[in-house]
Amino acid sequence: MLDATRDRSTVSDEETELMRRVAGGDTHAFTPLVERVLPRLLGYFRRLGADGALAEDCAQEVLFKIYRVRERYRPQARFVTYLFHVARNHWIDVYRHRRAQPPTVSADAPGRGGEGQGLAADLPADEDEAGAGLDRSALGQALDRGVAGLGEQHREVFVLSQVEGLRYQEIGEILGIPVGTVKSRMHAAVRQLREQLARDGFEP
């Protein structure tokens, strides 16, 4: 479990520095922090199955929770790791209370280049590389179906890695599991997606 009260002075990036300022009493720094992370939060909740309105509600609740305990924040990792840990716990509560439908992921959403040799890293950058006649819209729909068909644990790891661009160590901290488990779930997710794409006539 993440301990946001334990300090690690070597952690430094723009979001983390903004949150340091917020925790230190500079509440004006929260506005640029929200501007940077809100789109990622909205995308995260939508990919886990929330519609637009629910995604907005979830994102606002997460940001409110973080702001409410701002004075207790001490970075032990990048701020985004802490952010998605809070977001994941909030989604678990929402999912339980609303008895949500199985999540889906939009393959058209921009990825952030997660670590590892995942499926997203293998997709061609443009149609020339893909060869004549590749319909990227159809490919995106096939990916949608494939990711929607993943088990919850595999889908969660895939989204955090290939869409949000988090490192395996960070994902392990968010989910409370060893890095080795993150890797095995990621490999299983990619294998299942490749098999689904092959069944749909694509060769990733």
Side-chain angles (χ1 to χ4, degrees):
M1 177 180 294
L2 287 178
D3 177 8
T5 64
R6 186 179 59 174
D7 190 14
R8 184 178 294 173
S9 59
T10 57
V11 175
S12 178
D13 60 59
E14 190 162 351
E15 289 87 359
T16 304
E17 291 305 317
L18 285 169
M19 190 61 201
R20 284 182 197 268
R21 290 167 52 190
V22 174
D26 181 5
T27 57
H28 295 293
F30 197 65
T31 297
L33 178 62
V34 169
E35 291 174 350
R36 291 182 66 88
V37 303
L38 180 58
R40 295 183 68 176
L41 276 178
L42 291 172
Y44 174 74
F45 286 119
R46 283 196 292 262
R47 292 175 188 112
L48 291 182
D51 60 23
L54 179 56
E56 290 183 8
D57 288 345
C58 289
Q60 291 174 8
E61 285 293 328
V62 167
L63 292 170
F64 175 74
K65 288 178 181 179
I66 289 174
Y67 186 79
R68 187 175 57 195
V69 299
R70 62 191 181 280
E71 294 179 355
R72 300 207 303 265
Y73 176 79
R74 298 292 186 276
Q76 67 158 352
R78 291 196 303 160
F79 172 71
V80 293
T81 307
Y82 175 56
L83 175 73
F84 284 110
H85 176 76
V86 177
R88 183 199 182 233
N89 286 341
H90 182 74
W91 178 250
I92 290 173
D93 291 339
V94 170
Y95 190 89
R96 286 172 178 168
H97 287 118
R98 292 177 177 256
R99 303 179 66 85
Q101 296 299 313
T104 60
V105 174
S106 174
D108 295 329
R112 300 183 65 90
E115 121 182 58
Q117 297 301 312
L119 177 64
D122 293 334
L123 293 179
D126 54 49
E127 292 189 7
D128 289 338
E129 291 178 271
L134 175 62
D135 186 339
R136 294 189 64 81
S137 176
L139 177 59
Q141 293 174 7
L143 276 170
D144 280 345
R145 291 191 296 272
V147 177
L150 293 174
E152 182 178 354
Q153 293 180 340
H154 294 157
R155 179 173 52 247
E156 201 167 38
V157 168
F158 183 86
V159 170
L160 288 172
S161 173
Q162 293 302 310
V163 180
E164 296 303 334
L166 300 185
R167 295 186 288 270
Y168 288 161
Q169 179 65 39
E170 295 172 319
I171 297 171
E173 292 177 0
I174 291 170
L175 303 182
I177 58 178
V179 172
T181 303
V182 175
K183 292 180 179 179
S184 65
R185 290 182 183 178
M186 184 64 194
H187 292 164
V190 171
R191 182 179 66 252
Q192 291 178 43
L193 288 171
R194 290 181 184 278
E195 292 172 353
Q196 180 62 55
L197 287 177
R199 286 193 293 269
D200 288 341
F202 297 98
E203 294 294 336

